[in-house]
Each structure stands twice: as structure tokens, then as C-alpha cells.
Amino acid sequence: MKSVFSCLADEKMAPKAASLTFQFREKIVPVTFHASIAPEVAKMATTCEPFQTWVKNCEQPSTDGRMIDIRSVEIQSVDLFGKRVGFVK
């Protein structure tokens, strides 16, 4: 049985795949995801309504007028509720 530390170390060392993108303002933002996540699931995560809402909210200025700049997104895990995206981390 692996210790918690070695499981975490193995997870952090796993390769990531980069094949997804999304548009943020006028630029294309790359999305990387953990190798244990199927590409179809990663795509579901980036096309689900909560993710799209997050992107739209980030495009708006904050209450103090500052703007967020998203240069990349890394998906570490996706929890599915049946065939629906539940949580994205």
C-alpha cells in the first residue's frame, strides 16, 4: 500500500496533455489537464455552463475597475455526476 505522500508525489509527476483552448476576450487560452483525465471529460469541463459563466464573469472589470488576465488554465480533476460535470478543480 502506498503512503499518502507517495500517492501525491506520483500524481504531481504525471504528465499533462495540452490540446484544449478557449477564447478569452480576443485571445486563445490553452487548457492543460492531468494525464488521468480523459480528453473527452476535460472538454466537457471547459464547455459546461459553470465554466463558461466563469469565463464571462472574468471578462468583466471587478468592482474596483481592475481586469483579470487569464493566460492558461490547468485542470487537475473533474468530478462527474452521472454524465454531468459536477466539480472542476
Side-chain angles (χ1 to χ4, degrees):
M1 181 172 183
K2 289 186 175 184
S3 71
V4 173
F5 176 78
S6 63
C7 289
L8 290 174
D10 290 348
E11 183 177 278
K12 288 181 180 184
M13 290 181 197
K16 294 179 173 51
S19 60
L20 295 175
T21 61
F22 67 93
Q23 185 155 346
F24 181 71
R25 295 193 188 104
E26 296 178 12
K27 65 182 179 181
I28 301 298
V29 177
V31 177
T32 58
F33 51 93
H34 193 275
S36 65
I37 300 171
E40 304 82 36
V41 173
K43 183 172 180 146
M44 287 172 57
T46 61
T47 58
C48 71
E49 185 179 340
F51 185 88
Q52 295 298 314
T53 300
W54 173 74
V55 171
K56 287 178 186 173
N57 289 338
C58 288
E59 290 177 331
Q60 304 302 316
S62 64
T63 55
D64 62 2
R66 294 187 297 175
M67 300 292 284
I68 293 175
D69 184 27
I70 299 175
R71 296 184 183 137
S72 66
V73 171
E74 179 182 337
I75 300 175
Q76 296 174 346
S77 66
V78 179
D79 293 339
L80 297 176
F81 298 157
K83 294 184 178 184
R84 198 181 104 217
V85 174
F87 298 103
V88 179
K89 175 183 171 194

